[in-house]
Amino acid sequence: MNTPFPPVAPALPPAEELALIDRELIQLDARRHYLLSRRNWLIGLLAHPAPAAAGPPRPVGPAAAPARGAQNVLLTLGAVLLAVAALAFTLVSWGSLGIAGRSLVLAAVTGAALAAPAGLLRRGLRSTAESVAAVGLLLTVLDAYALHAVGLPGVDGTAYAAGAAAALAALWAGYGAALPRLRLPLPVAVLVAQVPLPLAAVAAGAGPSGVAWAVLVTAAPDAALAVAVARRSVRVTAWVAASSTGGLALSAALALSLDGPGSVGPALLLAAGAALGVAVAWREPRASAAALVGGLAAVAAVGALVPAGHAAREDMWPVVVHLVAALTLPAVVRASALPAQVRRGLLRAAAGVAALAALTAAPAVALAAASRVGVLGEVWASTSPAAAVSGAGAAVPVALLLVAGAGWWAARELRRPEPAVVAVVAGWAGSFTAPVLLGLPVAAVLAAQTAVTVAAGLLALRASRRAAGPTAAVCAAVGALTVSLGALDGRVATFAVFGLLAAGAAFAAAYGPARVAVRAGGAAAAVGYATALAVALAALAGLAPAWSGVAALVAPAAVVALAARLGPVRIPAECAAAVAAAVAAALAVGDPPVLALVLALVGVVCAAAALRPDRRRCGWAAGALFVAATWVRLGASGVTVPEAYALPVSVLALAVGFLSRRKDPAVSSWPAYGPGLGATLLPSLVAAWGDAHWLRPLLLGLAALALTLTGAHRRLAAPLLLGGATLAAVALHELAPYVAQVAGALPRWLPPALAGLLLLVVGATYEKRLRDARRLRQALGRLR
């Protein structure tokens, strides 16, 4: 098939030829655009000779943008050069002229710079007018500087700067109003207007409070201008100026309120800032942030009247005062007919102060909870540690309970889950830590915290809100853990607290109307506390720690026995029972005979669970545990030839597997031959790794090789994989000394280099390796 455009000779590479064609097409498009514009101009010239004689129209669209960009660059450079020239003239050449000459030059240049933009605007040269206006702005500043340096050298510099800034602001505001098409004068006038009052306060010798008042008074017209003016550039500049000056004034007032006790001056300043913020939000629907700042300033104003000495800072009572002041804001909002944006801002201010108060109290709560960990150093020591805190600690639970009440009110009013979560967490934290922070006796602390934990659990069961229930359940779990640690200090406390919490957890698991997640947590906690009680009883009876592992199996056995009645909490209860069985084995690790007994008992429990149709897989765990118990017992008895005990079991198991496959060829090789092969291969492999002689590894390697070949020939997965893994382990055992010797002789940089090279090769052939892995998996899947 012939192509319509065969390549010219000599042919270019496809990529280069494509780029060449694209460039030529772009040039053709540009030429076509020019020709069409020229054609339109000529048509207009023929139709209307007189108007069209002025020349072709200016380019529009994309072609005009680069021209405007170049024009702006040139104008900016020109303005900068004129400014540099004016500055050099003022600083360097000023002294060579007389007074009349200086005044004449400055007046002429400044007047020309200020008058030129009007004519430029009439000609449509707006960008040029903006640049010349900028030069005029700089010249007026230089005029003011020159006037002070020559004509008024004795006037205080700060006072003169304040007056000059006020005059310049008024001048440029009037100039911008006279030439409204200029974008620069009015925003610059707003910025310059921020300087006069603070400079005047400094010149008058006012202290920090007076300067802060001057800054706040400056923010008021800025805010009014931002609300009243529709011009975007002026509006944005005024908002930025008001935010900056108002924030600076309020920050200074807050810092001043922390310096002395009961500061009335900073309180009045903060109150004025609060009024300004609320007034701005009242007039501007989109300014709820101003009401937020106003609410925070009002709270800080109330707090500024409270003594803020060292003792007050330590006991957190100022935080409580701020919190009480913040919590009055929702009441004000509810009782007043305020605009929506003001209500939102004040409510957010109250929420922010409450959050800060809760965060301030959090370290005390964490310290009170973490102090219980020290009991683990000596259980049942009955040391009765004193919950020694100063009376200042009472402020922490008060603050938290106030936050909880506010959160609960907000949850009812707003119908949102977040305040309910805050209410539950703060209420639990305040109630739980109050006995400790108040310095009550240990018994009273445990009783009160247990009651709070039970109350949190009941709330988790009965809470109707979707967020309060799970949050209360988490608080109950954390409280139960903390109380349990504290109860370990004495025997009576241990059994009383653990028994009560176990009963409560069992009730939660059996409470039908509760959420499934809460019931599942209760079931797991009940199994855990039952296990802990069994271990505590064994310790009370004077049993060794290893035998406590046997006692810990009571709870798993009970779970298996009651599994049919557990309903939706059966799975979490069984998971907790598995953890309890692992804890039992861990307790018995130090005594191998007892460990073998524990493993065998766990195997019995698993075998009992396997009697249910849906738990048949537990039979595998039972078999593995029985084998493990046998190995541990043989090791504890000093047996060095485990094959004498394992081979008869393996032969019987393999015979049973062979008969089962002969009866049903569809049976996989794993249930048929896996247990029998593992019963001998695994203990023999463990013994071979600890054997310094060559006979056992040789015999085990030959047996593994035979199994591997048999599995490959018969297409049986269990002999192939178990034999291959055993053969590889034996080979690694035999080669390990030589590998270690070679590795010691190699340079240290070589292993990382080889590893990096291997990674590069694998990465480069990743797709092929992935296909090989898929083929291997498919091949293994075809084995029986």
Side-chain angles (χ1 to χ4, degrees):
M1 180 177 180
N2 296 329
T3 58
F5 298 103
V8 296
L12 295 174
E16 295 182 7
E17 185 176 357
L18 179 61
L20 178 62
I21 293 173
D22 289 339
R23 287 196 297 269
E24 292 182 356
L25 288 175
I26 292 173
Q27 294 175 359
L28 289 175
D29 288 340
R31 182 64 177 171
R32 181 176 182 273
H33 179 75
Y34 169 76
L35 292 176
L36 288 175
S37 301
R38 186 69 180 178
R39 178 178 181 275
N40 293 334
W41 177 75
L42 292 174
I43 292 175
L45 181 64
L46 294 175
H48 307 284
R58 289 180 299 174
V60 296
R68 286 195 297 268
Q71 179 189 27
N72 292 334
V73 171
L74 293 176
L75 292 174
T76 303
L77 289 176
V80 171
L81 291 176
L82 286 176
V84 172
L87 184 63
F89 169 77
T90 303
L91 297 178
V92 178
S93 301
W94 183 263
S96 62
L97 299 175
I99 296 177
R102 300 170 188 172
S103 303
L104 181 62
V105 170
L106 279 177
V109 174
T110 305
L114 293 177
L120 294 173
L121 289 174
R122 285 195 298 269
R123 293 178 176 273
L125 302 176
R126 183 173 179 177
S127 298
T128 307
E130 294 283 358
S131 301
V132 176
V135 175
L137 171 63
L138 179 61
L139 288 174
T140 55
V141 176
L142 294 177
D143 287 343
Y145 165 76
L147 180 61
H148 178 265
V150 176
L152 301 171
V155 178
D156 179 67
T158 306
Y160 179 81
L168 289 175
L171 172 65
W172 276 89
Y175 186 71
L179 298 176
R181 295 179 61 188
L182 291 177
R183 293 189 294 263
L184 185 63
L186 290 177
V188 172
V190 173
L191 293 178
V192 174
Q194 311 307 307
V195 179
L197 283 180
L199 287 180
V202 173
S209 180
V211 175
W213 272 107
V215 175
L216 184 62
V217 171
T218 303
D222 293 335
L225 189 64
V227 172
V229 175
R231 189 167 180 173
R232 180 177 176 81
S233 60
V234 179
R235 185 182 180 91
V236 172
T237 306
W239 273 122
V240 173
S243 303
S244 302
T245 53
L248 183 61
L250 293 179
S251 300
L254 185 60
L256 291 173
S257 68
L258 299 177
D259 288 339
S263 304
V264 179
L268 293 176
L269 183 56
L270 288 168
L276 177 61
V278 173
V280 171
W282 200 300
R283 291 291 306 275
E284 177 56 53
R286 295 173 295 179
S288 62
L292 168 63
V293 175
L296 295 176
V299 173
V302 175
L305 299 174
V306 179
H310 176 72
R313 292 176 184 175
E314 182 181 350
D315 64 13
M316 274 191 62
W317 283 113
V319 175
V320 176
V321 174
H322 284 83
L323 181 59
V324 172
L327 295 183
T328 60
L329 295 178
V332 173
V333 169
R334 191 174 185 182
S336 305
L338 300 176
Q341 65 273 15
V342 177
R343 291 200 304 269
R344 286 196 303 270
L346 295 180
L347 290 177
R348 289 172 180 173
V353 174
L356 289 176
L359 291 176
T360 306
V365 175
L367 182 61
S371 61
R372 297 290 178 78
V373 180
V375 177
L376 296 176
E378 190 175 359
V379 178
W380 288 356
S382 297
T383 55
S384 298
V389 294
S390 63
V396 173
V398 170
L400 290 172
L401 292 177
L402 287 174
V403 172
W408 199 255
W409 176 86
R412 293 183 59 186
E413 293 293 323
L414 302 178
R415 303 293 180 182
R416 291 186 61 83
E418 296 84 357
V421 172
V422 173
V424 172
V425 174
W428 170 82
S431 304
F432 193 81
T433 57
V436 179
L437 297 176
L438 293 175
L440 298 182
V442 175
V445 170
L446 281 177
Q449 290 185 339
T450 304
V452 172
T453 302
V454 173
L458 293 176
L459 180 62
L461 295 178
R462 301 298 300 273
S464 58
R465 299 185 183 277
R466 64 179 184 271
T471 305
V474 174
C475 292
V478 175
L481 178 61
T482 306
V483 172
S484 301
L485 290 175
L488 292 176
D489 190 55
R491 292 176 174 82
V492 177
T494 298
F495 288 103
V497 172
F498 280 26
L500 179 60
L501 293 179
F507 174 77
Y511 189 70
R515 295 177 176 83
V516 176
V518 175
R519 293 183 62 189
V527 174
Y529 276 111
T531 304
L533 281 173
V535 174
L537 286 173
L540 185 64
L543 298 178
W547 286 98
S548 299
V550 179
L553 295 177
V554 174
V559 170
V560 172
L562 300 175
R565 302 180 181 179
L566 294 179
V569 299
R570 185 186 64 184
I571 293 179
E574 290 176 343
C575 293
V579 174
V583 171
L587 291 173
V589 166
D591 194 337
V594 180
L595 177 60
L597 176 62
V598 170
L599 293 175
L601 291 177
V602 176
V604 171
V605 174
C606 291
L611 296 177
R612 301 200 310 269
D614 57 339
R615 290 292 182 267
R616 295 299 188 193
R617 294 181 179 273
C618 292
W620 290 91
L625 287 169
F626 287 143
V627 173
T630 304
W631 296 343
V632 172
R633 192 65 186 89
L634 291 176
S637 301
V639 175
T640 58
V641 186
E643 292 85 0
Y645 300 90
L647 276 175
V649 177
S650 294
V651 170
L652 292 176
L654 291 174
V656 173
F658 176 77
L659 293 177
S660 64
R661 279 185 55 82
R662 187 174 183 181
K663 183 179 180 181
D664 184 7
V667 174
S668 173
S669 62
W670 284 109
Y673 302 131
L677 294 175
T680 296
L681 291 178
L682 292 180
S684 298
L685 184 60
V686 173
W689 269 83
D691 194 347
H693 303 285
W694 58 271
L695 182 58
R696 177 180 276 117
L698 177 61
L699 295 178
L700 181 60
L702 292 176
L705 178 60
L707 286 174
T708 304
L709 295 176
T710 302
H713 179 68
R714 297 289 184 181
R715 302 179 62 81
L716 299 175
L720 175 62
L721 296 181
L722 289 178
T726 304
L727 184 61
V730 172
L732 181 61
H733 172 265
E734 295 301 311
L735 294 176
Y738 303 101
V739 173
Q741 183 178 2
V742 172
L746 292 176
R748 294 188 176 181
W749 58 266
L750 188 57
L754 294 177
L757 182 61
L758 177 62
L759 291 177
L760 289 176
V761 172
V762 173
T765 60
Y766 177 75
E767 296 295 336
K768 185 176 184 300
R769 302 282 80 79
L770 196 60
R771 290 194 298 270
D772 294 342
R774 291 196 187 101
R775 285 196 293 268
L776 178 60
R777 184 181 62 183
Q778 294 170 0
L780 292 176
R782 289 192 293 269
L783 298 177
R784 290 173 292 174

